[in-house]
């Protein structure tokens, strides 16, 4: 039985009931689930003050469970980046730990890769994906199945539908990325994986950001030379935003179209990741991968890439 520890490195857990439900469901999937002692701590909007959350991450790293799954995202890891013991986290990975999460966890996963060259998983969060009541939609079968396979070391590829016009794309490189806001927040810092990310496959998603803000962040990456240095950019879900009367038809399609005009890098849409209750598939951050597009079917494989 694989050990799985739930910890809270970012935002506070608002209610204990969803966490209890996540524990129940993860246990039913065959994991030996442990909840970190500070998982329900609260300080302002955070899951405990900075020292509490820092200690939680280090405590999990020293225990080195098979899976270190964050309870939720939110905000908070940016405060910890300069204080985290990256060598300790890397040793946990060497001992078999898979660090898993998305949203704010993007900062931890990318900085760990930048500093130590080890891989984590951009994947589900405990409360978001295992703690929803059945009346609220429950769990997504594909998300759950892919998570179990990934944590067992059995998931080596995913497939998804993309737009027409990308047929023939066949590129290889390190797979990296996550939440767009968090990716951009690392740009220009010592936690940015500059050398490792060149020639990569960059995947991105975000939530509750108007398309013009998405475009502005993507153009910041472009102006910094990041997009042109990639083999491909893969876009997930960017929902949860409210249209403005000023848009006059402007939307995410226009963002993608403009991006394709300014960069030579293929922009592939439809990747099943994001802040959504439906399917989100785990992706290994830092692993070398291959992207192939056959008509409107895209395959992303890392098993033997």
């Amino acid at each position: 039985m694989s050990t799985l520890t739930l910890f809270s490195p970012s935002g506070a857990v608002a209610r204990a009931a969803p966490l209890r439900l996540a524990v129940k469901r993860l246990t039913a999937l065959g994991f030996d689930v442990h909840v970190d002692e500070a998982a329900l701590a609260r300080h302002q909007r955070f899951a405990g003050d900075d020292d509490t959350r820092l200690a939680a991450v280090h405590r999990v790293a020293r225990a080195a469970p098979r899976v270190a799954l964050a309870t939720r995202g939110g905000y908070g890891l940016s405060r910890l980046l300069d204080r985290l013991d990256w060598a300790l986290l890397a040793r946990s990975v060497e001992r078999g730990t898979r660090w898993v999460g998305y949203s704010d966890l993007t900062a931890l996963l990318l900085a760990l890769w930048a500093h130590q060259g080890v891989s984590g998983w951009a994947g589900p969060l405990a409360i978001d994906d295992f703690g929803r009541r059945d009346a609220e939609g429950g769990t997504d079968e594909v998300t759950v199945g892919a998570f179990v396979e990934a944590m067992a070391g059995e998931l080596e590829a995913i497939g998804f539908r993309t737009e027409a016009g990308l047929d023939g794309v066949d590129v290889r490189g390190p797979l990296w990325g996550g939440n767009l806001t968090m990716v951009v927040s690392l740009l220009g810092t010592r936690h940015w994986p500059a050398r490792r990310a060149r020639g990569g496959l960059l995947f991105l998603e975000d939530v509750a950001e108007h398309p013009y803000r998405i475009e502005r962040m993507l153009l910041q990456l472009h102006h910094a030379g990041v997009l042109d240095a990639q083999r491909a950019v893969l876009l997930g879900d960017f929902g949860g935003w409210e249209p403005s009367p000023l848009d006059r038809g402007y939307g995410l399609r226009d963002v993608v179209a403009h991006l394709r005009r300014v960069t030579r890098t293929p922009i592939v849409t439809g990747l099943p990741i994001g802040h959504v209750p439906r399917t989100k598939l785990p992706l290994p951050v830092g692993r070398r991968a291959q992207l192939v597009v056959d008509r409107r079917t895209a395959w992303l494989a890392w098993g033997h890439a």
Side-chain angles (χ1 to χ4, degrees):
M1 182 179 293
S2 295
T3 55
L4 184 151
T5 297
L6 301 176
F7 70 111
S8 301
S10 301
V13 174
R15 296 183 298 116
L19 183 58
R20 290 196 296 267
L21 181 55
V23 170
K24 180 179 178 180
R25 285 174 170 159
L26 288 162
T27 300
L29 291 171
F31 294 102
D32 179 14
V33 182
H34 301 264
V35 179
D36 180 73
E37 63 188 57
L40 293 173
R42 298 199 69 172
H43 173 72
Q44 297 177 332
R45 65 179 297 114
F46 306 103
D49 61 21
D50 293 352
D51 288 343
T52 297
R53 290 179 291 108
L54 181 72
V57 177
H58 289 164
R59 189 163 49 244
V60 174
R62 284 191 292 271
R66 183 64 177 270
V67 182
L69 178 62
T71 58
R72 63 174 300 250
Y75 169 70
L77 271 165
S78 296
R79 288 181 166 212
L80 307 182
L81 293 180
D82 285 342
R83 299 174 61 195
L84 281 166
D85 186 340
W86 299 110
L88 174 62
L89 269 68
R91 286 195 295 273
S92 73
V93 176
E94 292 168 0
R95 293 168 62 189
T97 299
R98 292 173 170 86
W99 294 84
V100 186
Y102 72 107
S103 190
D104 199 52
L105 271 292
T106 298
L108 185 147
L109 297 174
L110 289 185
L112 179 57
W113 184 45
H115 290 295
Q116 298 291 326
V118 298
S119 178
W121 285 83
L125 292 168
I127 290 175
D128 291 11
D129 298 291
F130 298 97
R132 278 194 309 273
R133 295 181 301 141
D134 290 337
E136 298 170 333
T139 57
D140 177 83
E141 291 184 6
V142 177
T143 299
V144 172
F147 172 74
V148 172
E149 285 188 31
M151 296 305 98
E154 298 171 354
L155 185 69
E156 296 186 336
I158 63 169
F160 59 95
R161 293 280 287 174
T162 188
E163 298 174 80
L166 296 165
D167 186 39
V169 170
D170 185 346
V171 289
R172 293 171 173 82
L175 183 62
W176 71 290
N179 177 257
L180 175 59
T181 297
M182 297 311 301
V183 169
V184 170
S185 76
L186 297 179
L187 190 62
T189 73
R190 68 188 187 90
H191 308 295
W192 176 256
R195 175 177 55 84
R196 302 187 193 280
R198 292 192 64 84
L201 309 179
L202 171 61
F203 64 91
L204 299 166
E205 59 83 25
D206 218 314
V207 66
E209 296 284 0
H210 191 281
Y212 82 84
R213 296 186 178 187
I214 298 296
E215 180 175 312
R216 184 167 57 199
M217 287 187 281
L218 289 168
L219 287 178
Q220 184 176 353
L221 292 176
H222 172 63
H223 296 151
V226 176
L227 298 189
D228 280 351
Q230 303 306 303
R231 301 295 185 191
V233 175
L234 299 95
L235 300 181
D237 190 88
F238 290 87
W241 56 277
E242 295 293 331
S244 164
L246 300 176
D247 291 338
R248 299 176 63 84
Y250 171 83
L252 287 166
R253 288 183 178 273
D254 300 282
V255 173
V256 175
H258 181 70
L259 204 62
R260 286 173 172 155
R261 287 194 292 270
V262 300
T263 181
R264 60 178 179 268
T265 302
I267 309 296
V268 179
T269 58
L271 185 68
I273 61 168
H275 288 67
V276 291
R278 58 184 184 275
T279 299
K280 62 171 70 77
L281 299 181
L283 301 173
V285 175
R287 289 277 297 277
R288 186 165 179 79
Q290 180 180 11
L291 172 69
V292 175
V293 181
D294 181 8
R295 286 172 286 189
R296 292 191 59 189
T297 300
W299 297 99
L300 185 59
W302 52 85
H304 304 287

